[in-house]
Amino acid sequence: MNHFGYRDGELWCEDVPLARIAAEVGTPTYVYSSATITRHYRVFDDALAGAPHQIHYSVKANSNIAILRLLADLGAGFDVVSAGEIHRLEVAGAPLDRVVFSGVGKTAAEMRYALERGIHAFNVESEAELELLSSVASAMGLCAPVSLRVNPDVDPQTHPYIATGLRESKFGIPWPRAEAAYARAAALPGIRVVGVDCHIGSQLTSLAPFLDAVDRMLELATRLRASGFPIEDLDLGGGLGITYRDEAPPHPDDLARAIIERTRGCGMKLLFEPGRVIVGNAGVLLMSVLYEKASEARRFVIVDAAMNDAIRPALYGAYHAIWPVSASDGSEVIVDVVGPVCESGDFFAKQRGLAPVVSGDLLALMSAGAYGFSMSSNYNARPRAAEVLVRGDRYDVVRDRESMADLVRGERLPAR
Ligand code: LLP
């Protein structure tokens, strides 16, 4: 359920017509619905009401500070993967004691940054990281709260680039080494064990791999607790999928029910790190048609957004629906929707049925709220898009479109 829909043939976000945003802010522009984000957060949170829990929104999905503040106000904690993401949270005024820090390559500087700000826990992904974190924390006279991210070796049945819980994946501590790693953690002076953690992949559309991972993690946590480790957090990661086209991912209620049933009475708090399911269908990329052109083989619609703005189709072959901002009479032509970037991989849709369009028409790339702007770049020296947050009948520009000056910010000409 989201708040993008047609009224009298025009596409609106909540109580604002997208055409008005395009006229006032220009295109390409990301448009987010605060009502949708709020709803998705609450659905997830309410589903878990029967168990002690904390949601740690995964910042990488969409890290605009306005969205971070909205979620912080709703009570969210956060999952970060860099000091930069912690900085964004700090600027947004989010409580940093609700942050968990994941990632296979944390630097000593990032560890210090996080320790100084008193985050909730580090999700440590290797024995080598454990050693470094212990020495960094000890040197600061601190003890770092740690969950070990363990790789439960289950197949999440998703795109290979976003599957993370397989034996072959770079993430987490290999399952057979988990207990030895906990023993090492307990022996280190700068480490305080607080939990266990896993994350098996993203855009998961069935319950089975989640529940396999829960069973394995619960078994591990129970054994560790029996051996005297103070395991308080059972962090199950993120990964719940959304509908881009016709996928039917489990509802958060079904996921939560199955997990609560399995973990009832376990004495641990459940932590989740959802990203996509909170923001994915809460955002669109609004764009304008520049040209139409036909070759013998194809008919192209060339738009003013490109793979640098939204890379999921180019990188994963991902499907995103494309809706006309002014609804058509239902007739369709088969087209490729492409951007201006100099790569054949720069497309949003291939051989897609779309209402006939002319130059200046507006289109919306749907389900673009997660991994859209956050993966965007300046490739081809294209300024990054503006971002807008809608609340009811008003909207705010929550990030300006980049300027030409922004494109060269920090660059320098050496003396000749
Ligand atoms: N926790 C950890 C440790 C993660 O690595 C991720 C995502 C999440 C939580 C959030 O997963 P989510 O609930 O959003 O599925 N760029 C890709 C997705 C990469 C996901 C990386 N990790 C895409 O556009 O599909």
Side-chain angles (χ1 to χ4, degrees):
M1 157 74 198
N2 62 63
H3 292 76
F4 292 92
Y6 288 98
R7 291 187 200 170
D8 296 330
E10 287 293 309
L11 187 56
W12 292 54
C13 173
E14 302 187 23
D15 298 322
V16 179
L18 289 180
R20 192 178 122 206
I21 296 174
E24 293 171 4
V25 182
T27 57
T29 292
Y30 275 95
V31 180
Y32 310 123
S33 155
S34 56
T36 309
I37 295 170
T38 302
R39 185 189 145 78
H40 290 170
Y41 179 82
R42 292 221 170 107
V43 164
F44 209 99
D45 198 40
D46 291 349
L48 290 160
H53 71 276
Q54 177 67 54
I55 295 175
H56 295 266
Y57 165 70
S58 194
V59 171
K60 64 175 83 68
N62 187 322
S63 57
N64 185 286
I65 56 174
I67 286 177
L68 301 181
R69 189 181 70 178
L70 172 65
L71 286 163
D73 287 349
L74 290 168
F78 298 90
D79 161 57
V80 303
V81 289
S82 67
E85 288 186 345
I86 300 175
H87 176 67
R88 288 184 158 278
L89 288 167
E90 202 166 18
V91 174
L96 301 184
D97 59 356
R98 284 193 232 141
V99 168
V100 296
F101 191 173
S102 309
V104 294
K106 303 176 194 80
T107 65
E110 288 182 309
M111 291 170 179
R112 270 191 293 275
Y113 194 91
L115 284 164
E116 276 161 6
R117 286 159 182 77
I119 66 164
H120 174 71
F122 290 83
N123 289 335
V124 169
E125 304 222 11
S126 66
E127 289 95 329
E129 182 191 335
L130 205 50
E131 304 285 335
L132 179 61
L133 180 58
S134 176
S135 64
V136 169
S138 299
M140 296 169 74
L142 296 172
C143 222
V146 162
S147 291
L148 292 186
R149 176 168 175 185
V150 177
N151 183 339
D153 189 20
V154 299
D155 183 356
Q157 294 149 12
T158 185
H159 190 286
Y161 285 11
I162 53 178
T164 49
L166 286 167
R167 195 178 314 176
E168 297 78 9
S169 131
K170 71 175 176 181
F171 296 99
I173 292 172
W175 184 257
R177 287 225 297 278
E179 277 167 279
Y182 271 95
R184 182 68 191 135
L188 287 169
I191 300 291
R192 178 168 60 87
V193 168
V194 298
V196 293
D197 167 52
C198 73
H199 168 78
I200 58 171
S202 197
Q203 183 54 13
L204 308 192
T205 52
S206 68
L207 268 185
F210 267 118
L211 299 183
D212 286 352
V214 173
D215 288 342
R216 299 207 88 180
M217 296 305 290
L218 194 57
E219 178 199 311
L220 173 66
T222 308
R223 254 186 288 135
L224 290 168
R225 281 163 73 93
S227 322
F229 290 96
I231 306 289
E232 292 152 21
D233 292 350
L234 178 58
D235 185 340
L236 298 168
L240 186 56
I242 64 170
T243 304
Y244 285 99
R245 184 182 199 169
D246 49 13
E247 305 87 336
H251 189 277
D253 282 345
D254 298 325
L255 177 68
R257 196 173 311 115
I259 292 179
I260 290 174
E261 202 179 287
R262 283 173 158 71
T263 54
R264 184 163 288 124
C266 73
M268 289 175 282
K269 183 167 168 181
L270 303 178
L271 275 55
F272 291 88
E273 303 170 357
R276 190 187 320 259
V277 73
I278 307 292
V279 292
N281 280 322
V284 305
L285 175 57
L286 187 57
M287 55 180 100
S288 301
V289 172
L290 295 174
Y291 306 107
E292 263 223 290
K293 95 172 172 187
S295 69
E296 275 142 38
R298 291 279 162 111
R299 194 160 166 169
F300 296 100
V301 171
I302 303 169
V303 293
D304 64 354
M307 64 187 285
N308 73 295
D309 298 301
I311 204 176
R312 300 193 72 258
L315 190 56
Y316 314 113
Y319 179 97
H320 284 257
I322 298 176
W323 290 6
V325 168
S326 293
S328 70
D329 57 8
S331 62
E332 278 191 352
V333 281
I334 303 296
V335 296
D336 284 9
V337 179
V338 302
V341 161
C342 305
E343 303 236 9
S344 295
D346 180 26
F347 63 87
F348 291 130
K350 288 209 158 163
Q351 297 299 90
R352 181 84 59 89
L354 193 74
V357 288
V358 296
S359 173
D361 282 358
L362 296 169
L363 296 173
L365 185 77
M366 305 304 291
S367 312
Y371 307 108
F373 188 93
S374 65
M375 294 180 81
S376 68
S377 75
N378 291 121
Y379 187 41
N380 277 208
R382 291 171 50 84
R384 280 181 297 170
E387 292 177 286
V388 159
L389 181 63
V390 174
R391 282 180 291 172
D393 61 2
R394 59 171 289 188
Y395 74 83
D396 293 283
V397 175
V398 292
R399 182 182 174 114
D400 290 334
R401 183 178 312 291
E402 284 182 338
S403 65
M404 291 295 170
D406 289 331
L407 285 178
V408 288
R409 189 152 51 99
E411 290 183 41
R412 226 168 250 131
L413 290 168
R416 250 204 283 258

